Amino acid sequence: MALQQNEFSAPFWDAHHANLGRQAAAWASTVVHHAHRSSDDSGEMDNTCRQMVQKLAQAGWLQYAVPSNNKPLDVRALCVLRQTFAQQNALLDFVWVMQALGAGPISLFGSDTQRMQYLPRVAQGLAVPAFALSELHAGSDAAALTCQATRLSPAMGGGYELNGEKAWVSNGGMADFYIVFARLEPAVATSLKTQNTKRTAGISAFIVDANTPGLIIEQRVSLMSPHPMAHLRFDQCRISTNQRIGAEGEGFAIAMCTLDVFRASVAAAAVGMARRAMHEAVSYARQRPMSGQFLADLALTQARIATMAAQIQAAELLMAQAAWLCDQGQPHTQASAMAKWVATENAQKVVDAAVQMCGARAVVAQHPLEQLYRDVRALRIYEGASEIQQLIIARELLRTVSDAESN
Ligand code: COS
């Protein structure tokens, strides 16, 4: 049974999104054959990912990862490509979206000079970016980060010095540059114009080139769904002032706004994986003899298929709405959080149900469902765990209600 095409139809998608989806699906089905799941060897993994970056660049898909010609990021295009690639191969989706997320703070908040310096290289596959927000003791509570930035006096050469660590950095160890969120040391933070005493005070965003002295790849991390990841350490890592994104103290808002956009795309990846799982399960159920009929003829199987279809459809609609709101420039924090939460939780359920339908063969290594079972899990954790999305949804709702009451 041929993999069902994603439709990307109105009202949330424009005609060019539907075309993009068709073209990307046709392309991805040809490259995925070569895009094998790599081993835990980090060198081999980096090579595989670099090759994928090249292929994505040559095919023109990376131009959708960053804005160009002063146009804003097309978030729906981002989602179309994530859903389509994730449906074919999780590593392809990872490589594709990291070009976008890693460069995201520059795309959304970078100066003209920073955009000109970094974004074309990302779009051409000449530079691989990474997003370094989490720390071992500051994951869900991002405002607790302790990586420190110290402003250096002109006598010391100016710019900033970074000291501390970053954890769970996707593309860590293979990236050409990192967006690092660090806190200006208290003496400096309290002298900021705002006299901000909040937990997020002083947090600032910096672009750190991979070859900057003092940036150390502390540890490579092996994952159940392998992709490049590392813990980083900064030891007297000096960067110039023009490597700061936005103003001092704007880093937390930059991180949150970037995640508000990319959480919609996580939902898209979840929908892609769930669709693939349902495809595998339905294909199998239609040809598997069972009790004198086929597995698909059993009412219990049909109930399971109906549940899967509805879970996917619900996720897809929330994702489409969130991406559409982003593109309309309308508030989308709550919609993105809702889309990510529902889509990733549903995708996990759909993949699990598909494994159950297909039985023993689905847990054999390298079976598409065995791979999806491992691939889908991290989506409920990265870019804000499901519990964080629930928190965001509730906070936004309570804030809207109290705003309405005070008007
Ligand atoms: N957009 C813009 N600004 C935002 C924002 C958003 N979506 N969310 C929060 N902010 C601002 C708030 O307006 C507030 O600003 P002021 O201090 O000027 O009032 C500030 O940030 C602090 O907000 P808040 O008090 O809500 O922050 P919390 O520390 O309570 O944390 C959550 C908020 C939990 C939402 C945040 O820590 C989070 O998203 N955690 C998950 C992190 C994550 O996804 N990590 C994955 C890393 S990438 S794999």
Side-chain angles (χ1 to χ4, degrees):
M1 192 169 107
L3 198 54
Q4 198 195 345
Q5 286 276 322
N6 298 302
E7 286 182 1
F8 304 112
S9 52
F12 291 122
W13 310 97
D14 294 342
H16 81 273
H17 295 122
N19 286 335
L20 192 63
R22 275 192 292 275
Q23 289 163 9
W27 177 83
S29 65
T30 64
V31 292
V32 163
H33 179 65
H34 307 289
H36 63 282
R37 181 180 292 282
S38 201
S39 72
D40 271 354
D41 179 295
S42 61
E44 189 188 336
M45 174 56 79
D46 290 359
N47 281 339
T48 302
C49 290
R50 287 256 173 213
Q51 283 166 17
M52 282 191 185
V53 170
Q54 292 310 316
K55 285 191 176 133
L56 285 162
Q58 282 157 12
W61 304 121
L62 291 185
Q63 67 179 293
Y64 297 97
V66 295
S68 58
N69 303 325
N70 287 325
K71 286 194 197 142
L73 206 56
D74 183 342
V75 180
R76 283 171 295 168
L78 208 72
C79 291
V80 166
L81 291 175
R82 272 207 88 173
Q83 181 174 325
T84 307
F85 293 157
Q87 196 168 1
Q88 293 283 355
N89 180 283
L91 190 59
L92 181 66
D93 165 56
F94 165 82
V95 170
W96 144 255
V97 79
M98 279 312 300
Q99 292 297 106
L101 170 65
I106 304 180
S107 297
L108 299 170
F109 298 98
S111 66
D112 287 348
T113 312
Q114 289 166 345
R115 289 157 71 98
M116 271 160 42
Q117 189 181 346
Y118 287 95
L119 299 187
R121 286 168 53 219
V122 170
Q124 290 160 28
L126 301 175
V128 170
F131 184 86
L133 174 65
S134 298
E135 298 177 3
L136 285 177
H137 301 290
S140 287
D141 184 9
L145 67 86
T146 60
C147 187
Q148 198 168 67
T150 309
R151 201 193 293 142
L152 300 176
S153 66
M156 293 176 76
Y160 300 92
E161 183 179 283
L162 302 182
N163 286 287
E165 48 99 0
K166 286 286 154 188
W168 317 118
V169 181
S170 287
N171 273 348
M174 78 168 277
D176 297 296
F177 67 90
Y178 296 82
I179 308 298
V180 179
F181 297 86
R183 192 186 300 273
L184 279 166
E185 65 177 11
V188 178
T190 50
S191 73
L192 290 171
K193 271 194 301 215
T194 51
Q195 288 293 317
N196 201 340
T197 54
K198 294 175 179 163
R199 293 174 70 235
T200 57
I203 296 178
S204 308
F206 303 95
I207 310 168
V208 184
D209 292 322
N211 58 5
T212 311
L215 164 51
I216 297 147
I217 307 304
E218 187 79 345
Q219 185 192 339
R220 295 287 298 236
V221 182
S222 297
L223 300 168
M224 66 193 277
S225 170
H227 70 238
M229 174 173 275
H231 299 331
L232 314 180
R233 186 159 57 82
F234 297 88
D235 185 5
Q236 299 184 329
C237 178
R238 288 187 170 200
I239 48 172
S240 66
T241 306
N242 55 23
Q243 295 296 91
R244 192 190 66 232
I245 303 174
E248 288 182 353
E250 285 182 359
F252 193 76
I254 289 173
M256 292 301 115
C257 289
T258 304
L259 291 170
D260 278 349
V261 167
F262 283 89
R263 283 171 182 154
S265 88
V266 183
V271 170
M273 289 183 194
R275 274 185 166 277
R276 177 60 183 267
M278 187 168 76
H279 166 81
E280 296 294 335
V282 169
S283 304
Y284 176 73
R286 287 176 47 159
Q287 50 83 29
R288 168 81 158 102
M290 175 82 68
S291 313
Q293 43 191 349
F294 289 102
L295 182 58
D297 297 323
L298 305 183
L300 274 176
T301 306
Q302 292 179 5
R304 187 163 265 155
I305 291 172
T307 306
M308 287 170 149
Q311 285 168 333
I312 294 173
Q313 186 81 13
E316 197 162 357
L317 285 170
L318 284 173
M319 178 272 290
Q321 185 197 37
W324 180 83
L325 286 170
C326 291
D327 283 343
Q328 304 310 305
Q330 292 189 35
H332 53 268
T333 299
Q334 188 186 35
S336 285
M338 210 178 269
K340 187 198 183 263
W341 175 46
V342 172
T344 59
E345 292 289 333
N346 284 4
Q348 177 91 55
K349 290 178 193 144
V350 169
V351 171
D352 189 67
V355 168
Q356 197 66 18
M357 263 172 75
C358 295
R361 59 199 34 76
V363 292
V364 173
Q366 303 302 317
H367 186 281
L369 286 171
E370 181 268 343
Q371 296 193 1
L372 280 166
Y373 196 77
R374 291 188 284 118
D375 295 333
V376 79
R377 187 61 184 86
L379 272 59
R380 290 167 57 211
I381 299 172
Y382 74 65
E383 291 189 40
S386 290
E387 293 75 5
I388 294 298
Q389 309 312 321
Q390 289 173 280
L391 209 89
I392 294 170
I393 295 162
R395 275 190 193 184
E396 289 291 310
L397 191 126
L398 293 168
R399 192 175 53 77
T400 319
V401 170
S402 87
D403 285 355
E405 279 171 0
S406 57
N407 282 332

